[in-house]
Amino acid sequence: MTVERDEPGTVPIAARFERVRKANQSELSEDYVEMIDDLIGEFGEARATDLAERFGVSPGTVARAVQRLARDGLVESKPYRAIFLTTEGKELAERARERHRLVVDFLVAVGVAPHAAEMDAEGIEHHVGQDTLEAFRRFLSR
């Protein structure tokens, strides 16, 4: 068995895995604040039951996620009440939505069917770095 080693002039292997771990940690927060923002736009409020239905998860799962978002300063919520985004949560939702749209537009531009681009972007958007996003923007602006 051979072990991959860091090559001079490349990104260290540990840094690559650290970036993936960080993306995985922020993925849930980004998905939730984006969905909360969507629900507020659609209904004027976001309820835990609506989040559970949209994500296909249990109410307990939503409650734990909302507690974590509140702890991180992204939402405000009281038991049995609607969930609202803080200014920071709204900004995160907007950045996540913009990144999602950019990834979808890029995938469609390179020939991916729109429905497949939407599905694939849902995972890719959380793991694409800023340099890659800028490359997507340059490609699309041609």
Side-chain angles (χ1 to χ4, degrees), residues 89-124:
K90 180 76 171 161
E91 289 169 357
L92 179 59
E94 290 170 2
R95 286 192 311 270
R97 184 173 293 109
E98 178 186 334
R99 193 173 57 243
H100 178 86
R101 206 62 266 144
L102 179 59
V103 172
V104 169
D105 291 349
F106 175 79
L107 292 173
V108 169
V110 297
V112 177
H115 68 279
E118 280 290 342
M119 294 291 291
D120 292 342
E122 198 54 52
I124 294 169

Side-chain angles (χ1 to χ4, degrees), residues 9-71:
T10 65
V11 175
I13 295 166
R16 289 184 253 160
F17 285 103
E18 179 182 3
R19 179 174 161 197
V20 170
R21 282 192 304 276
K22 285 182 180 177
N24 287 338
Q25 290 171 353
S26 67
E27 186 171 351
L28 182 70
S29 296
E30 291 172 358
D31 285 345
Y32 268 82
V33 296
E34 193 174 0
M35 184 63 71
I36 290 166
D37 195 42
D38 289 347
L39 289 167
I40 291 170
E42 191 173 339
F43 301 112
E45 66 180 10
R47 298 177 310 146
T49 54
D50 296 326
L51 290 167
E53 183 180 311
R54 296 271 175 115
F55 286 125
V57 299
S58 73
T61 298
V62 170
R64 285 187 297 278
V66 170
Q67 285 175 343
R68 193 169 35 254
L69 294 171
R71 181 197 67 216

